[in-house]
Amino acid sequence: MEFRDYRAYLDEVERAGELRVVRGADLKTDVGGITEITAWSPEHPVVLFDEIDGYPAGRRIAVHSFDSYRRMQLVYGFPDGLRGRALTEWWADRLDVAASSPPVTPVEVETGPVMENVLTGDDVDLHLFPAPMWHELDGGPYLATGGASVLRDPDTGALNAGCYRGMVYDRHTIGHHLAGGHHGQVIRDKYFERGENCPIVISLGNDPSFTLAAAENVGFGQDELEFGGFLRGAPYEVVRGPLTGLPFPAGAEAVLEGEILHPDAEPKRSEGPWGEGLGYYAAAFDQPAVRVHAIYHRDDPIVLGEPTLRFRNRGGAGGFAQTARRLHMLRRSGLEGIRGVGQVGPFLVISLKQHYAGHVMRVADYAMAGLADRPPRYLVMVDDDIDPTNPTLVNWAISTRVDPAAQIHIERERWCNVINPAGLTPEKRRIEDYTLGTTIIDACKPFRWRRHWDAMFHRSDIDEDLRVRLATRWESELGDLVTAPRPI
Ligand SMILES: Cc1cc2nc3c(=O)[nH]c(=O)nc-3n(C[C@H](O)[C@H](O)[C@H](O)COP(=O)(O)O)c2cc1C
């Protein structure tokens, strides 16, 4: 849905009754702690921190921007009540539309609200913005957590946007955590290989589509600003950075313009520790930092905070966008029989209609190449009678259709996230070997003897025709007890 900027979005959030303002919080414990605790309740509001200790009124931080069903609906525009598998399929269909439509190219404008205040040279001071200690043992205050950075591929000229966290080091230096394998890392290192610093603009807050588009794992070379235009249904208006030529939204709350410093020009800086979504602190490790040469910001800027938290609840609409992207990519793979994709706990689940021997593993191998981000640690393949989003059915298939000796396949040395506690030993970390094993669980009926399988193993729960007949016959006496739908 189209919002001019974050403020327009916030107005709509307030109209929906989903905004709470907190005054007088401090940056050391209150902002981070309140953010974590309030995220535990389902359907929690946006919390807007104002009059933050040590800062003038108006310098605000907004958290939980996308953490309710209604707020996700405002951004994605899905029909009321759509959830689970239906929601995933709806967004996968929209991604098919995006792929076959002309790009929604940003429109360049001379200036915009973000240029209300321009600071360069000695006036650059990152402490102008409130940056909290989000988790008690973080390595320092983090300013960039909910915005997005824009880089340009020096080989192709293609633009790339991503969300990358940044801790404040001093007045004009900020961290930039680029996990290995993310496109931003590949692009940054292309500049480094040429012996150059990498130009960058970092937005600290925008219309919500910008953050969510930047966080999407679109293909390498695809422009997230164009994808964001599709998501919001209108092109972004962008200003070209005077120093780097990189574009940023004219309605952004605040933007930092500068360069990621080549490690030969300036030693890397310790980044982290940082409280990660997996529920542990990610250890500090050295990363190239960003030198900020200019700051642009609106009057009374709102910094978006999206710190990772172990428990985060998006009101039943969390995770659907990435699952839908995987479904969209599988559909476009040209492989036959794909029925659905789901995420059940740690399992990525693909259901398919088997057509030939070897079909299951062919699809599994394709998915393991890393559909939209890293390969899953556990991929579960199920037949088309299993809803891949239904935990009960997925568990049933794993429990009853898998011979572990024949149907569990373990691969080694696959791309993984540096934040994983499992398997990344001190030695692997020392040599920056961020790889782990992955598992394919083939929970499908074995194709070669499936006819025998079906003949031997009938489902033992009640036949559907009989269930309907009994419900009709006994409803007057037993009511809901006989008309209740089958649980799975
Ligand atoms: C709130 C938020 C914070 C994130 N922080 C980081 C981060 O610090 N480093 C990182 O590499 N990815 C981070 N991610 C994930 C990336 O933004 C995401 O995978 C994105 O698609 C990467 O883009 P790229 O492949 O174009 O570089 C974050 C995502 C979100 C939503």
Side-chain angles (χ1 to χ4, degrees), residues 11 48 73 126 179 190 196 200 205 222 244 260 267 396 401 418 459 481:
D11 288 345
L48 185 66
Q73 190 181 30
L126 293 171
K190 285 188 182 191
E196 297 169 13
I200 186 167
Q222 281 177 282
T244 60
I260 312 177
W396 182 56
R401 298 184 187 179
V418 59
R459 280 184 69 141
L481 284 173

Side-chain angles (χ1 to χ4, degrees), residues 13-300:
V13 168
E14 187 171 20
R15 266 193 288 279
E18 297 197 358
L19 177 67
R20 289 285 283 276
V21 179
V22 172
R23 299 178 206 282
D26 81 24
L27 292 169
K28 252 196 179 139
T29 56
D30 297 356
V31 174
I34 290 172
T35 299
E36 180 163 356
I37 297 165
T38 50
W40 295 342
S41 54
E43 301 292 332
H44 47 275
V46 170
V47 178
L48 185 66
F49 294 97
D50 199 353
E51 296 169 34
I52 295 167
D53 191 22
Y55 281 83
R59 302 244 156 150
R60 292 159 290 171
I61 299 174
V63 299
H64 306 324
S65 291
F66 324 111
D67 286 12
S68 77
Y69 186 83
R70 177 69 188 133
R71 301 203 285 284
M72 287 298 262
Q73 190 181 30
L74 285 176
V75 183
Y76 284 86
F78 46 76
D80 257 346
L82 218 56
R83 287 177 193 267
R85 189 172 187 173
L87 178 55
T88 300
E89 281 171 5
W90 177 83
W91 186 238
D93 289 347
R94 295 288 299 144
L95 293 177
D96 292 345
V97 172
S100 54
S101 309
V104 187
T105 311
V107 177
E108 205 175 310
V109 293
E110 276 299 305
T111 188
V114 68
M115 304 306 269
E116 281 166 2
N117 302 277
V118 175
L119 306 170
T120 55
D122 285 347
D123 292 335
V124 168
D125 185 359
L126 293 171
H127 301 113
L128 286 170
F129 304 105
M133 287 288 290
W134 291 104
H135 321 89
E136 289 154 273
L137 303 181
D138 284 350
Y142 274 76
L143 176 60
T145 62
S149 306
V150 180
L151 306 176
R152 188 186 293 283
D153 187 322
D155 293 338
T156 64
L159 291 168
N160 186 78
C163 296
Y164 316 107
R165 66 179 187 241
M167 65 188 277
V168 178
Y169 294 118
D170 55 44
R171 287 170 65 94
H172 44 65
T173 319
I174 186 167
H176 199 246
H177 174 266
L178 275 171
H182 279 164
H183 301 153
Q185 174 259 311
V186 175
I187 293 170
R188 178 198 66 187
D189 290 359
K190 285 188 182 191
Y191 285 94
F192 289 176
E193 277 163 27
R194 296 165 179 226
E196 297 169 13
N197 295 335
C198 170
I200 186 167
V201 288
I202 303 174
S203 132
L204 301 179
N206 300 293
D207 146 23
S209 68
F210 194 68
T211 302
L212 290 170
E216 280 259 348
N217 294 102
V218 304
F220 189 69
Q222 281 177 282
D223 183 339
E224 281 93 348
L225 277 81
E226 291 178 351
F227 179 70
F230 171 80
L231 174 56
R232 72 199 285 262
Y236 291 114
E237 290 196 345
V238 293
V239 174
R240 193 176 280 276
L243 308 177
T244 60
L246 290 167
F248 50 85
E253 293 292 326
V255 169
L256 316 177
E257 187 173 29
E259 40 192 359
I260 312 177
L261 300 170
H262 193 293
D264 291 347
E266 173 130 342
K268 292 179 183 176
R269 304 283 289 260
S270 173
E271 200 282 333
W274 169 252
E276 265 297 351
L278 292 181
Y280 304 92
Y281 283 89
F285 75 112
D286 293 346
Q287 290 258 318
V290 175
R291 177 64 40 81
V292 177
H293 298 303
I295 294 178
Y296 316 111
H297 73 89
R298 299 177 71 144
D299 295 338
D300 297 333

